[in-house]
Amino acid sequence: MTDDDLPIKPATRLVQAGRRAEWTKGVVNVPVWRGSTVLYDNVAHMRSVGAGDLHEKLFYGRKGLPTQWSLADALTSLEPGAQATFLYPSGVAAIAAALLSVLSPGDELLLVDSAYDPTRGLATGLLARMGITTRFYDPLVGAGIAELIGPTTKAIFLESPGSLSFEVQDIPAIVAVAKANGITTILDNTWATPLFFPAIAKGVDLTVLACTKYVVGHSDAMLGSVTAAPSHWAALRDTSFQLGQVASPDDAYLGSRGLRTMGVRLAQHQQSALTIAKWLAEQPGVAQVLHPALPSCPGHDIFARDFLGSSGLFAFVLDGGNDAARTAMLDGLALFGLGFSWGGYESLAIPADPHRYRSVTRRDFAGPLVRLQIGLEDTDDLIADLDRGLARFRAARG
């Protein structure tokens, strides 16, 4: 029995996974293996390696080295039923590789209307130029997605909850329809991570993480991953090799280092975000809080059924006002940085305008939206900062 076969819980696996003795060489962490050229003992050795499966085998730096393999192996171990994981230089690169591994000219993609904007850009840009059509669908469609499937539909892309408006999708219902029709499902699982939603075990074929976020956890590296079910690993591997995709060993090292503490960080992100979300729900100037763990969030009942926890990203709707009033609130924040991304230790805020990124669904809100990433600061300090911000909003709104 190997360490990966032991019946241990996810928190323990976060610490132990990927640390094979042949990769660590006796130290706690896998060293940073930097290299392009691999030397062989002789021609026979060179030919024997090149003729076989190159996964986790020293062949050439673009195929990976132990630093990358360690993180990939650890991420795979967090997804019961998964075959393997491939790493990429960003989350968007991971999404592109997943899509290109299953789609060909003439195919149709069903893409959730609440998806991350760069995912939409891939669909309407690169995929469209390749002759792949995209149909956007309502994130709350559930099993009704069966009515959208056509003769050329080859993949369904999910993101749950949505990055700006936080609708929760009925992933098991959509997966059941997809499997009945021989269609691949791809999930952007960055918000929940495998700790809060084990996607492969739920029947998803390819699950994507922007590891830049919670895996790295410190806002200092760009990194992405795709974990595949056994049925989809070979196509993902071949596509990734053909695209020349490789994550740098230094970034993979930072991902592995961050992964070891992701469990305790996510627990704190969850607790702090829920505290602040509940406080916001009671404040004058706030019309609605869009947090999947709160009943006010569309799809909350599905979240309560399927998810094991919630992370630190959510949004709230201001009560009336306009962009200028929202800007007055945001510009004066002292503890929330104004910046894109999320999942790091620091709190962030951005103005969110989901209607700009919708094709088939539109939700009418009572006012402008603000998206918050709740970091690891003291919640009392963050609440005080938001309280002052809401006072500025109310004054500007009039």
Side-chain angles (χ1 to χ4, degrees), residues 27-42:
V27 298
V28 172
N29 295 312
V30 177
V32 179
W33 290 59
R34 299 186 187 93
S36 57
T37 300
V38 174
L39 300 178
Y40 300 92
D41 297 335
N42 48 51

Side-chain angles (χ1 to χ4, degrees), residues 103-110 133 135 145-155 181-183:
L103 294 170
S104 300
D107 290 344
E108 179 186 66
L109 167 69
L110 295 182
T133 60
R135 189 188 308 190
I145 201 166
E147 299 177 10
L148 302 179
I149 293 173
T152 62
T153 306
K154 291 297 188 293
N181 289 274
I183 294 170

Side-chain angles (χ1 to χ4, degrees), residues 40-54 57-59:
Y40 300 92
D41 297 335
N42 48 51
V43 171
H45 181 209
M46 175 182 287
R47 288 174 175 166
S48 67
V49 173
D53 182 359
L54 299 178
K57 290 184 173 61
L58 288 173
F59 178 74

Side-chain angles (χ1 to χ4, degrees), residues 20-149:
R20 299 185 191 177
E22 65 266 31
W23 297 342
T24 62
K25 302 295 183 182
V27 298
V28 172
N29 295 312
V30 177
V32 179
W33 290 59
R34 299 186 187 93
S36 57
T37 300
V38 174
L39 300 178
Y40 300 92
D41 297 335
N42 48 51
V43 171
H45 181 209
M46 175 182 287
R47 288 174 175 166
S48 67
V49 173
D53 182 359
L54 299 178
H55 182 56
E56 293 184 352
K57 290 184 173 61
L58 288 173
F59 178 74
Y60 184 66
R62 192 177 63 249
K63 306 294 186 182
L65 299 167
T67 312
Q68 291 106 321
W69 301 339
S70 174
L71 175 58
D73 189 61
L75 291 171
T76 303
S77 77
L78 298 177
E79 291 279 4
Q83 176 72 30
T85 296
F86 219 89
L87 300 181
Y88 305 87
S90 71
V92 174
I95 292 169
L99 289 168
L100 292 172
S101 72
V102 299
L103 294 170
S104 300
D107 290 344
E108 179 186 66
L109 167 69
L110 295 182
L111 176 59
V112 64
D113 205 25
S114 54
Y116 179 48
D117 182 47
T119 307
R120 298 176 67 92
L122 275 168
T124 60
L126 176 63
L127 297 187
R129 293 200 304 273
M130 293 177 61
I132 297 166
T133 60
T134 296
R135 189 188 308 190
F136 292 93
Y137 67 90
D138 185 337
L140 301 180
V141 70
I145 201 166
E147 299 177 10
L148 302 179
I149 293 173

